[in-house]
Amino acid sequence: MSLAQTPSARPAGITRTLAAVAAGAALTAAALVAAPAAGAADAQHGRGSVVFAQSDNTDANTVVAYERAADGTLTRKGVHPTGGKGGMLAGTVADHLASQGSLAYDRHSRLLYAVNAGSDTVTVFTVRGTRLQRVQEISSGGSFPVSVTFHGDRVYVANTLGGGSVQGYARVGERLVKVPGWHRDLGLDKGTSAVGQISFTPDGSQLVVTTKASGQSIDVFPVDRLSGPSAHPVVTSTPGAVPFGFAFDSAGRIRVTEAGTDSVGTFVVGRDGRLTPKGTVPTGQTATCWAVTAGDHLYVSNAGSGTLSGYRTGRGGGLTALGDTATHPGTVDAAASSDGRYLYVQTGVRGTVDAFRVGPKGSLTAIGSVDVPGAVGGEGIAAG
């Protein structure tokens, strides 16, 4: 993973367009609001004991389904082509997408979303236990999609090349309809990887995007259900920090990995999109880039050190270090089981998923490792 990045100025504005419907489908305002907003909390309620990992294979991208046993160990049950190709950013070794959240599992609707960076598309799978069925592959609305998020019937994907962009979709049943008016250009350096992650806030009212390369900022877009993201994001500049991945805790605070300083920053997201910093904790590790919460505990992946750094969240939101746990080389994207008892982390150098049991006080105990076929350098993981 390359962290050599130079900040540059952001363009004065992004042109806001009226929401329209693509691909010959007509969506009225009533259709957009008809489906219930199940909320990001859906991602915390599991349907079945499953784990999905994306290979990001540049010849043919796949999603591998694993059954999770009662003791947390994994058994491979199937390899499912996305129909697209994975991608590889120049200079990457363990993390070919250099991002967090390239695979997203909507447990409420039993749908799985996967990005195909090499094809500039997003694939939709239906989920029945460990069985996946591909129902759609749709344009990502930009170049090299790396992260995808959902809230109820809205889905957004972030593209990292070509200056970076965000594209939104309305979910109708099991399919996505791209809404042109829900597209926003980020206006970053077109020659570098721009985006670390995109995610809705827990209440679905805002989209958060971390920008690396020329941005080095945390961008927050207030989101309207009909008109989509605001014309301009609220930008919190973090020069030198290189914000990468992030996770929300139970109080809605955002924990952001800062790859430039190998640390974790905590922010409170205001209703107006402004971020209030609440402190930074150094990991003492190398290439701190991914974050996941499991109950009241936070774990961040350090690709260069091959470790997970654990933290316990205090009543006031402060982080108490729990120590570092070794993984296989190239620790990248991670996911926690819906009950918070197990943690699964991809290791990109060998293309594996390492499994850990989470103790009552946050300690991690290794319980096994499984291969992800064709996934050296791959990332994208989700758990039920």
Side-chain angles (χ1 to χ4, degrees):
M1 176 178 58
S2 174
L3 299 178
Q5 295 147 335
T6 303
S8 67
R10 182 182 302 277
I14 303 172
T15 301
R16 187 176 188 177
T17 59
L18 296 175
V21 178
L27 289 180
T28 64
L32 289 173
V33 300
D42 288 343
Q44 302 301 320
H45 299 287
R47 286 199 175 194
S49 300
V50 293
V51 173
F52 303 107
Q54 182 170 244
S55 71
D56 193 43
N57 190 286
T58 55
D59 292 326
N61 192 17
T62 57
V63 173
V64 185
Y66 300 88
E67 183 177 64
R68 175 165 59 89
D71 62 358
T73 57
L74 301 180
T75 300
R76 191 170 80 200
K77 290 296 183 178
V79 179
H80 306 273
T82 66
K85 295 182 179 181
M88 180 177 178
L89 291 168
T92 57
V93 177
D95 59 333
H96 289 172
L97 300 184
S99 69
Q100 178 170 319
S102 62
L103 196 65
Y105 179 25
D106 182 346
R107 299 175 181 88
H108 179 80
S109 299
R110 294 191 289 187
L111 295 173
L112 185 71
Y113 305 108
V115 302
N116 302 300
S119 302
D120 297 338
T121 60
V122 179
T123 295
V124 182
F125 291 97
T126 57
V127 179
R128 299 294 182 270
T130 58
R131 294 175 296 173
L132 300 182
Q133 180 177 350
R134 187 174 75 234
V135 296
Q136 185 183 25
E137 184 183 357
I138 187 171
S139 167
S140 70
S143 177
F144 210 93
V146 293
S147 187
V148 60
T149 186
F150 65 90
H151 188 278
D153 59 352
R154 295 168 294 164
V155 177
Y156 281 81
V157 63
N159 300 284
T160 198
L161 296 182
S165 64
V166 170
Q167 176 62 57
Y169 308 81
R171 177 177 60 79
V172 181
E174 297 174 344
R175 302 179 69 85
L176 301 181
V177 176
K178 184 166 66 174
V179 182
W182 294 359
H183 180 94
R184 299 291 181 268
D185 289 321
L186 297 177
L188 303 173
D189 186 342
K190 292 185 177 182
T192 57
S193 171
V195 176
Q197 183 183 354
I198 185 171
S199 180
F200 275 103
T201 53
D203 66 0
S205 66
Q206 297 165 321
L207 277 171
V208 180
V209 181
T210 49
T211 73
K212 308 172 293 176
S214 59
Q216 298 203 39
S217 64
I218 305 169
D219 296 0
V220 180
F221 290 89
V223 182
D224 181 87
R225 283 189 58 79
L226 297 182
S227 58
S230 58
H232 312 288
V234 178
V235 178
T236 299
S237 181
T238 58
V242 191
F244 194 105
F246 57 90
F248 293 96
D249 66 15
S250 59
R253 291 175 290 252
I254 184 172
R255 313 289 191 172
V256 182
T257 58
E258 299 175 341
T261 56
D262 293 318
S263 58
V264 181
T266 297
F267 300 86
V268 172
V269 186
R271 292 184 178 180
D272 60 357
R274 298 183 185 276
L275 300 185
T276 302
K278 293 296 183 180
T280 302
V281 177
T283 64
Q285 303 294 290
T286 304
T288 301
C289 295
W290 297 266
V292 62
T293 53
D296 292 328
H297 302 105
L298 173 76
Y299 301 93
V300 297
S301 299
N302 310 295
S305 302
T307 59
L308 291 164
S309 296
Y311 299 89
R312 182 174 63 252
T313 301
R315 289 185 178 180
L319 297 177
T320 300
L322 300 175
D324 303 313
T325 302
T327 71
H328 282 100
T331 319
V332 290
D333 215 348
S337 60
S338 57
D339 59 10
R341 296 175 58 194
Y342 301 101
L343 187 68
Y344 302 94
V345 59
Q346 290 173 294
T347 56
V349 171
R350 297 183 183 178
T352 64
V353 172
D354 290 355
F356 297 89
R357 181 182 302 109
V358 180
K361 296 183 178 181
S363 62
L364 296 179
T365 301
I367 55 174
S369 181
V370 292
D371 291 330
V372 184
V376 171
E379 52 194 326
I381 188 168

